[in-house]
Amino acid sequence: MMWTKTSQIYDGKAKTIFAVEGNDDVVIQEFKNQLTAFNALKKEELDGKGELNCLITCSIFEYLEVKGVPTHFVEKLSRTSIVTKKLSMIPLEVVVRNIMAGSTAKKLGMVEGTAMEKPLVEFYYKKDELADPFISDDQALLLKTVDSQKELEELKSVALKINTALISFFRECGIKLVDFKLEFGKNEKGEIVLGDEISPDSCRLWDAETDEKLDKDRFRRDLGQVKEKYQDVWNRIQNKWSQYV
């Protein structure tokens, strides 16, 4: 099928979203080369980053569909763009943590790298001007981010299902899935569907042998070799999951 982008719908930190000519049910998402951190206070252009995130996201979404997780993914359109189902996005970031890292480890006074007895699921309110703050279930309901506690529980349940699938996916690539961010939306039937992307921009990924960081923390912490490590993640996925590439 031919997909032709028309007007710009949204311009975000990592992606630009366009309407599709003659089809109101889908959109085109273009991955940017821009790297951002600390609510976009730190920015940099990284040539080829958008293409790598596009490739990685496509393979992971196809894998998750096989594992029974509904996603917005329709097909890969170009080196840096995908066609996705149009969703009404839920203004929550759903974060799953398997290993303590980053600001959360610091906030809780825990050593980075501490494995948790069970995954931790957290909600963050998607509001750039508030720096996407952590919120409780009751606050999520107060803000009417979802319609009911039942929907919050569904978000948690699906996030944990995705976590189980992705732990296996990345383990086969010699990678530890430390933590990751998910975004969801509702389709025309009101069903909750996984949206956005899953990439080294939205995950903490460590080498299983050395704990070397393979994700955006390399940019946040000025560790260098950002593109090289994103490329490493893609190379490992290609080698182990060629059926989804």
Side-chain angles (χ1 to χ4, degrees), residues 27-165:
V27 295
I28 292 172
Q29 300 197 24
E30 289 194 352
F31 289 75
K32 294 182 175 182
N33 286 333
Q34 181 174 254
L35 271 166
T36 65
F38 313 119
N39 202 30
L41 293 176
K42 182 177 182 180
K43 297 180 184 179
E44 184 177 303
E45 287 291 313
L46 183 65
D47 185 51
K49 183 269 240 184
E51 181 176 357
L52 288 168
N53 278 356
C54 181
L55 289 165
I56 292 167
T57 292
C58 289
S59 60
I60 290 175
F61 274 25
E62 288 180 351
Y63 173 83
L64 289 175
E65 288 277 1
V66 170
K67 294 296 180 180
V69 177
T71 80
H72 70 165
F73 181 71
V74 175
E75 67 176 78
K76 186 172 182 290
L77 184 61
S78 72
R79 294 185 306 106
T80 58
S81 64
I82 59 176
V83 180
T84 66
K85 300 164 193 168
K86 185 184 288 186
L87 302 176
S88 176
M89 297 305 292
I90 296 169
L92 290 173
E93 293 181 350
V94 184
V95 175
V96 183
R97 304 186 188 278
N98 299 305
I99 298 169
M100 271 296 159
S103 59
T104 301
K106 184 178 180 181
K107 178 176 71 174
L108 299 179
M110 299 181 70
V111 175
E112 184 167 79
T114 302
M116 285 176 280
E117 292 182 6
K118 64 178 184 178
L120 177 67
V121 182
E122 301 174 336
F123 294 126
Y124 291 80
Y125 185 37
K126 275 192 65 64
K127 208 75 168 174
D128 283 345
E129 58 268 35
L130 300 177
D132 301 338
F134 169 83
I135 59 174
S136 67
D137 285 25
D138 286 345
Q139 289 170 330
L141 293 171
L142 173 69
L143 293 165
K144 301 188 185 303
T145 59
V146 292
D147 295 333
S148 65
Q149 181 66 41
K150 182 179 179 182
E151 287 191 344
L152 288 178
E153 296 304 323
E154 182 177 353
L155 289 174
K156 293 177 187 178
S157 177
V158 176
L160 289 172
K161 180 177 181 178
I162 292 169
N163 186 48
T164 297

Side-chain angles (χ1 to χ4, degrees), residues 189-213:
K189 298 178 182 177
E191 299 165 331
I192 291 177
V193 175
L194 177 65
D196 196 44
E197 67 178 279
I198 299 178
S199 73
D201 270 12
S202 61
C203 304
R204 277 193 174 94
L205 305 170
W206 294 357
D207 181 86
E209 298 281 333
T210 66
D211 283 348
E212 181 182 25
K213 294 172 175 60

